[in-house]
């Protein structure tokens, strides 16, 4: 008489483990998305500080009073704001990278446990990190000058490309939060 097959011990508690994995994936997807969005938005801090310095720097400094350090407080305000923005960017970049690595490990584990709808979460994670969109749009930044030449059309197209460079990763992070909710237990 043939003996009964012995079940693989790794999958003996798969339904219980998978339920915990799904709950953890949803929470990890939420935090990874939120930190990624905060990172993209924090990239605007030095840009906004520079724009304010360039446009309103003379008005912020006030009328010349003959002092050798006239306007230095505006410069140091810009410098401190930019440095604080860069520090925030550094912290958020490390947190986002850590959460993205944890999500990749989680995706591998979910595939091992045969969870459903894992592929869309992987693609949204890829879109959220900007791995595809940023290099493509970065190369496209060289195109407007060659096509339009110097002028308003070039500046407008560069602004549109820069906005897309910010919006596409945000859309990927939102998609990551949504698709992390869609991961399901394996079907019968």
């Amino acid at each position: 008489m043939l003996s009964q097959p012995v079940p693989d011990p790794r999958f003996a508690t798969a339904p219980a483990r998978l339920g915990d994995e799904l709950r953890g994936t949803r929470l990890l997807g939420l935090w990874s998305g939120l930190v990624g969005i905060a990172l993209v938005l924090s990239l605007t801090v030095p840009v906004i500080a520079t724009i304010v310095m360039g446009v309103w720097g003379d008005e912020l400094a006030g009328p010349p009073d003959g002092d050798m350090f006239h306007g230095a407080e505006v410069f140091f305000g810009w410098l401190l704001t930019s440095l604080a923005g860069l520090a925030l960017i550094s912290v958020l970049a490390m947190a986002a990278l850590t959460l993205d690595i944890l999500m990749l490990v989680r995706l591998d584990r979910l595939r091992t446990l045969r969870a459903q709808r894992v592929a869309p979460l992987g693609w949204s994670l890829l879109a959220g990190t900007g791995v595809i969109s940023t290099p493509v749009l970065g190369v496209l930044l060289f195109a407007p000058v060659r096509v339009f030449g110097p002028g308003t059309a070039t500046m407008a197209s560069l602004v549109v490309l820069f906005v897309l460079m910010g919006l596409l990763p945000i859309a990927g992070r939102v998609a990551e939060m949504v698709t992390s909710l869609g991961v399901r237990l394996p079907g019968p």
Side-chain angles (χ1 to χ4, degrees):
M1 184 169 200
L2 295 174
S3 64
Q4 295 292 331
V6 178
D8 189 350
R10 293 180 300 164
F11 298 109
T13 61
R17 274 186 31 203
L18 190 55
D20 292 340
E21 294 290 331
L22 291 178
R23 281 189 293 280
T25 300
R26 291 180 181 123
L27 186 63
L28 186 59
L30 173 70
W31 280 107
S32 179
L34 291 175
V35 169
I37 290 170
L39 173 62
V40 172
L41 293 177
S42 68
L43 293 172
T44 62
V45 171
V47 173
I48 292 171
T50 304
I51 290 171
V52 167
M53 172 79 169
V55 173
W56 295 294
D58 293 337
E59 293 176 28
L60 292 172
D65 57 0
D67 187 15
M68 182 172 74
F69 297 110
H70 173 73
E73 62 275 359
V74 176
F75 170 75
F76 287 121
W78 167 79
L79 184 65
L80 288 176
T81 302
S82 295
L83 290 176
L86 290 176
L88 178 65
I89 291 167
S90 300
V91 169
L92 288 173
M94 288 186 282
L97 179 63
T98 302
L99 290 170
D100 290 343
I101 291 170
L102 288 172
M103 182 59 85
L104 288 172
V105 171
R106 179 67 51 109
L107 287 173
D108 182 55
R109 197 174 316 146
L110 287 171
R111 285 181 196 265
T112 303
L113 294 172
R114 298 183 182 102
Q116 296 176 349
R117 299 183 189 169
V118 176
L121 180 57
W123 284 108
S124 63
L125 177 65
L126 188 64
T129 58
V131 171
I132 297 172
S133 62
T134 303
V136 169
L137 290 172
V139 169
L140 287 177
L141 288 176
F142 295 110
V145 174
R146 296 191 187 272
V147 173
F148 300 123
T152 308
T154 300
M155 289 306 293
S157 60
L158 288 174
V159 167
V160 167
L161 288 173
F162 275 122
V163 168
L164 282 176
M165 286 178 87
L167 290 180
L168 289 177
I170 289 175
R173 293 299 183 167
V174 170
E176 179 183 355
M177 289 187 283
V178 171
T179 56
S180 69
L181 298 173
V183 178
R184 300 281 180 242
L185 295 168

